[in-house]
Amino acid sequence: MKWVNDITKLLGIDFPIVQAPMFGVTTPEMVANTANINCLGSLALGDLDAEKSVEAIRKTKRLTSKPFAVNFFAHNIPEITDTLKADYVKAKIFVEQLAKQNNLIITIPELDELKINSYDEQVDAIISENCKIVSFTFGNLDKRSIEKLKSSGTVLIGTCTSVAEAMILEKSGIDIICVQGLEAGGHRGSFALEDIPKIGGLSLLAQVSEAIKIPIIYAGGIYNSKTLLASKTLGASGFQIGSLLLGSAESALADFEKKRLRKVNESEIILTKSFSGRFARGIKNTFINATEQTEFILPYPYQNKLTSELRRVAKYNKNADFVNIWVGQSINEFSGQSTAKIIQNLIEQTECDSR
């Protein structure tokens, strides 16, 4: 298989394989492992503030001199209304009581105590750290941010979950589009919060490749050479892998989370808004089951902030029923090998199968 293409040239890498930016799973070590074998590592900054973003970027730079992407959430922050205030109180009481019933003692901050970060300060931090590859999800960047990043020589990678979203990104000057299929693990990259596109990945990929002219990275269900080659046939020039790396040595998942992951079956993997307020695909558990039966799910990022302390305490107590373990529909062995070794195995397998 010929790996060199428009994406490898644009990003300065040898192989167009992208390690997915999985906030809460990705570590600087995972990013460096990927970058050091000349693929694209992606540092997940999520909605961190500028100081913590810079800290993560600098830690990654100490581990690799190769190019890597930084990724953040391009989300809109809902206005705090009287309705949201009332809903927050109800949701807070529900989560605290549910935790107590399951021997987890938590104290959730009041709404006015939450620190909600926009991506504006991250853009400035990224530019100051001279990061030249930026990916984002949950929407499109505002015109001013696009201009600031492009003027500093940054390659921009946007995420789409529909043809319409892909066309918006292309029209606004984004360089590469990551097409995310419904089967992908973790959060949907959809612009919408509620009525998200429900089209399968390969069908979406084929349609997007016909609708736009800029390079495409495909994300969703790639876990071996056959799935990678299928996405290449349908128009992808880059191949993003996430779930394949969840069990890796560099993954931030705790041992008890990896153990739960390796026991999962397909009937346990669902889309849920229970932990964050945005649809994400992961393993069903007690918290999800209880929350999905209520009306106590706030819009992102408020639900995400609401459940943060619960997840922290549950992780400390090694309780898999109250942490979010995101995973896609393509179940695999979730190897504990290094990120580099897992990706190298995929490259070798693909080269063998494409002969």
Side-chain angles (χ1 to χ4, degrees):
M1 175 172 168
K2 182 181 178 182
W3 292 103
V4 176
N5 59 28
D6 45 4
I7 283 182
T8 58
K9 293 173 183 176
L10 194 56
L11 301 179
I13 55 180
D14 291 344
F15 302 95
I17 293 179
V18 180
Q19 162 253 311
M22 301 171 285
F23 192 52
V25 174
T26 301
T27 59
E29 290 78 12
M30 180 184 286
V31 178
N33 247 243
T34 307
N36 287 336
I37 57 170
N38 300 311
C39 297
L40 185 67
S42 304
L43 180 64
L45 301 178
D47 60 352
L48 295 177
D49 61 28
E51 184 179 350
K52 289 182 179 177
S53 295
V54 168
E55 182 182 335
I57 290 168
R58 291 181 179 176
K59 184 174 182 180
T60 306
K61 284 181 175 178
R62 289 195 291 269
L63 298 173
T64 183
S65 60
K66 301 292 182 69
F68 61 89
V70 293
N71 175 274
F72 60 82
F73 297 157
H75 62 281
N76 294 316
I77 301 173
E79 179 185 356
I80 296 179
T81 62
D82 289 340
T83 299
L84 178 59
K85 290 178 182 178
D87 288 346
Y88 187 88
V89 171
K90 295 174 186 176
K92 179 177 181 293
I93 292 171
F94 167 75
V95 173
E96 287 177 339
Q97 289 181 343
L98 181 62
K100 186 177 181 180
Q101 291 166 10
N102 289 271
N103 302 312
L104 295 172
I105 307 304
I106 62 171
T107 301
I108 298 173
E110 301 296 335
L111 180 59
D112 58 7
E113 296 174 329
L114 298 181
K115 176 76 163 63
I116 306 294
N117 302 310
S118 70
Y119 65 80
D120 292 342
E121 58 180 292
Q122 287 178 310
V123 169
D124 292 334
I126 288 165
I127 291 172
S128 71
E129 289 300 307
N130 200 33
C131 299
K132 297 303 184 184
I133 306 171
V134 170
S135 63
F136 55 91
T137 190
F138 296 169
N140 195 11
L141 302 181
D142 62 89
K143 185 177 179 181
R144 179 171 171 272
S145 294
I146 292 173
E147 290 175 349
K148 284 175 69 174
L149 288 162
K150 297 281 278 187
S151 65
S152 68
T154 307
V155 176
L156 296 178
I157 306 172
T159 306
C160 81
T161 60
S162 70
V163 174
E165 291 173 355
M167 294 176 73
I168 290 170
L169 291 168
E170 181 181 42
K171 188 176 180 180
S172 65
I174 304 307
D175 301 291
I176 300 171
I177 292 179
C178 179
V179 173
Q180 185 196 51
L182 187 65
E183 57 270 63
H187 284 94
R188 307 300 87 208
S190 308
F191 290 18
L193 268 173
E194 296 295 336
D195 190 20
I196 63 170
K198 296 179 175 63
I199 184 170
L202 295 184
S203 179
L204 175 61
L205 172 60
Q207 293 178 51
V208 171
S209 66
E210 293 177 356
I212 66 171
K213 296 180 180 178
I214 58 178
I216 295 172
I217 294 168
Y218 176 68
I222 295 179
Y223 72 104
N224 60 14
S225 62
K226 290 181 180 179
T227 47
L228 187 152
L229 290 168
S231 63
K232 181 178 186 295
T233 299
L234 292 171
S237 299
F239 316 96
Q240 183 164 292
I241 55 174
S243 294
L244 190 63
L245 303 175
L246 290 175
S248 69
E250 295 77 26
S251 166
L253 290 183
D255 288 342
F256 80 94
E257 292 172 305
K258 292 178 181 179
K259 183 178 179 180
R260 176 67 184 93
L261 186 67
R262 292 180 179 123
K263 292 181 178 179
V264 71
N265 63 64
E266 60 185 18
S267 66
E268 297 176 297
I269 299 175
I270 63 166
L271 278 177
T272 180
K273 294 195 298 179
S274 58
F275 277 106
S276 71
R278 290 192 70 104
F279 282 106
R281 187 176 296 284
I283 301 175
K284 191 189 312 181
N285 60 16
T286 298
F287 181 76
I288 292 173
N289 288 336
T291 306
E292 290 287 348
Q293 304 301 315
T294 73
E295 298 177 355
F296 304 138
I297 300 180
L298 305 170
Y300 182 90
Y302 300 105
Q303 182 74 8
N304 196 52
K305 298 295 183 182
L306 177 81
T307 64
S308 176
E309 179 67 3
L310 171 69
R311 288 176 278 137
R312 186 191 69 79
V313 172
K315 189 157 186 167
Y316 178 82
N317 285 277
K318 301 180 180 180
N319 187 333
D321 274 314
F322 290 87
V323 295
N324 55 282
I325 303 177
W326 302 139
V327 63
Q329 289 182 324
S330 292
I331 297 173
N332 61 84
E333 66 177 359
F334 302 111
S335 169
Q337 294 180 309
S338 71
T339 298
K341 184 61 177 176
I342 294 170
I343 295 174
Q344 286 171 331
N345 289 343
L346 177 62
I347 291 171
E348 292 170 5
Q349 183 186 58
T350 302
E351 289 176 340
C352 180
D353 288 349
S354 63
R355 288 180 187 142

